[in-house]
Amino acid sequence: GSFWHEPLQNMDNAELFESEESDLMRDLAILPRQSAVRKINELVKRIRKVKTLAYIIGHLKSQMPAVMGKDKKQQKLIGDMPNVFRTIMKKHNLAPGDFPDINKFSEKLKDTRFSEFHSLKLDQIQLLEDCLSSHLPKLMEELPSEKDSPETLKAKYSTGRVDNTYVPVPTGAGKFGKADNSAMASNPFGAAEDADEYWALEESAERLKESFEALGPQGGFLSPQTAKEVLVKTGLQKEQLRQIWALSDIDRDGYFDHHEYVVAMFLCDAVMQKGRPIPAELPMSVIPPSKRSLLKERGGGFF
């Protein structure tokens, strides 16, 4: 590894540094997957045990007589619990590991009344089956994976979705001095010479939260195309939109999160409704605290 943060003095290894950084950041991005997979596996075990227990209770209930001899039948079933388990296992194709400990289970059954058990509800069993066969596999697909591209990781791995942590996944090697305009390459309105970032007030963020969600953000982000369409609808000139994008896309990843969306809407309103010029630099009071470190690292100016 290296702690070198300046442009490379020798460009021969720039591609290698870019590749190594991308691999490292991708590995960091998928770390929470391991924790999530463990939790999902535990959930699967619990669902399978609940389903098995439901079959057992339903079977015991179905074996009880309607009127006479309930206590005698219950004692017989408890004494024949190994055969009861085998019957249920074969009938419903269940795994032996999903069954409770037979001795402890039999002891607990002695304090119950089988006739008061609820009958098996197949529709509820089907809900458990759907969870195992459909819902949980879909959830697994949403987790960050080492097979994902940087763009896919960006969509999956957003603030507030996985352990409330954001891990950037680099897509270029501009920090190593390979490209002069890489920071603005993701701006669909093109690059401009003097571009800084902008942050709207907290009140504006609360007011615009609903409209942001209505645009269907993926993983907490508006795609470049969606964000561009929103800005184009304002009717402002392309050069104005280019400047607004440059100010709003604070982390320069080409996507708008909620705060960056608020910045863009605030700027558009200032130009359209109040006739204000687009600022070149921003007061610290309107830059979101979570973004200020980015500007400091890049040497961005506050006033």
Side-chain angles (χ1 to χ4, degrees):
S2 173
F3 295 99
W4 183 260
H5 293 291
E6 302 298 327
L8 296 181
Q9 298 179 0
N10 188 335
M11 300 304 297
D12 293 342
N13 295 320
E15 292 289 346
L16 177 60
F17 273 92
E18 176 185 5
S19 177
E20 290 294 331
E21 183 196 36
S22 180
D23 289 344
L24 173 61
M25 299 308 294
R26 184 178 289 106
D27 288 343
L28 291 175
I30 65 175
L31 279 178
R33 175 186 176 88
Q34 301 174 11
S35 175
V37 168
R38 285 195 298 269
K39 294 177 181 179
I40 291 175
N41 287 337
E42 289 300 319
L43 178 60
V44 169
K45 292 179 182 178
R46 294 180 65 182
I47 292 175
R48 289 167 62 100
K49 289 182 179 295
V50 167
K51 184 180 71 171
T52 300
L53 186 59
Y55 278 125
I56 295 174
I57 298 301
H59 177 81
L60 297 176
K61 171 69 174 180
S62 67
Q63 298 299 308
M64 295 301 292
V67 182
M68 302 293 291
K70 293 182 179 179
D71 291 340
K72 184 177 180 179
K73 182 62 175 179
Q74 177 168 328
Q75 293 301 321
K76 183 179 179 180
L77 287 170
I78 293 176
D80 195 35
M81 195 56 59
N83 287 328
V84 171
F85 276 20
R86 263 192 300 271
T87 299
I88 297 172
M89 188 186 307
K90 292 181 179 179
K91 181 177 179 181
H92 300 289
N93 194 28
L94 302 174
D98 295 336
F99 282 78
D101 180 90
I102 193 168
N103 295 323
K104 294 181 180 179
F105 188 69
S106 298
E107 286 297 320
K108 291 182 179 180
L109 287 177
K110 294 178 181 179
D111 298 327
T112 65
R113 284 185 169 275
F114 291 4
S115 58
E116 297 178 354
F117 287 167
H118 292 289
S119 300
L120 182 66
K121 296 182 179 180
L122 295 179
D123 57 335
Q124 295 183 357
I125 294 295
Q126 186 58 49
L127 290 176
L128 294 177
E129 292 287 357
D130 292 343
C131 186
L132 291 172
S133 62
S134 178
H135 302 317
L136 288 180
K138 289 181 179 179
L139 179 60
M140 290 289 290
E141 293 177 0
E142 294 299 319
L143 296 176
S145 170
E146 63 275 5
K147 298 180 181 179
D148 291 334
S149 65
E151 292 75 15
T152 303
L153 283 174
K154 171 66 70 175
K156 288 184 177 181
Y157 203 102
S158 61
T159 54
R161 289 302 180 95
V162 184
D163 294 344
N164 295 319
T165 307
Y166 174 72
V167 176
V169 181
T171 57
K175 66 174 290 185
F176 295 120
K178 290 185 60 181
D180 294 332
N181 299 320
S182 60
M184 296 299 298
S186 58
N187 190 330
F189 297 103
E193 292 184 358
D194 296 322
D196 285 305
E197 289 67 36
Y198 185 84
W199 163 241
L201 300 176
E202 185 66 27
E203 295 178 359
S204 299
E206 293 295 329
R207 177 171 53 84
L208 294 172
K209 180 67 174 178
E210 185 175 349
S211 63
F212 175 77
E213 295 295 338
L215 293 171
Q218 298 295 319
F221 292 88
L222 295 180
S223 67
Q225 183 60 34
T226 300
K228 177 181 179 180
E229 291 173 357
V230 171
L231 295 184
V232 168
K233 289 180 181 179
T234 64
L236 295 177
Q237 297 178 2
K238 183 177 180 180
E239 179 59 31
Q240 291 174 309
L241 295 178
R242 179 186 295 116
Q243 296 176 49
I244 289 174
W245 183 287
L247 291 168
S248 305
D249 186 16
I250 298 176
D251 52 17
R252 295 178 178 176
D253 61 355
Y255 294 78
F256 273 10
D257 61 18
H258 175 226
H259 289 170
E260 293 168 330
Y261 169 78
V262 172
V263 170
M265 294 298 99
F266 187 88
L267 282 171
C268 290
D269 180 72
V271 174
M272 294 186 300
Q273 303 297 332
K274 303 175 183 178
R276 296 177 180 174
I278 300 174
E281 292 187 344
L282 307 174
M284 182 180 294
S285 61
V286 299
I287 302 172
S290 61
K291 307 279 187 180
R292 290 172 186 169
S293 60
L294 296 175
L295 297 179
K296 291 180 180 179
E297 290 175 3
R298 293 201 297 263
F302 303 145
F303 67 87

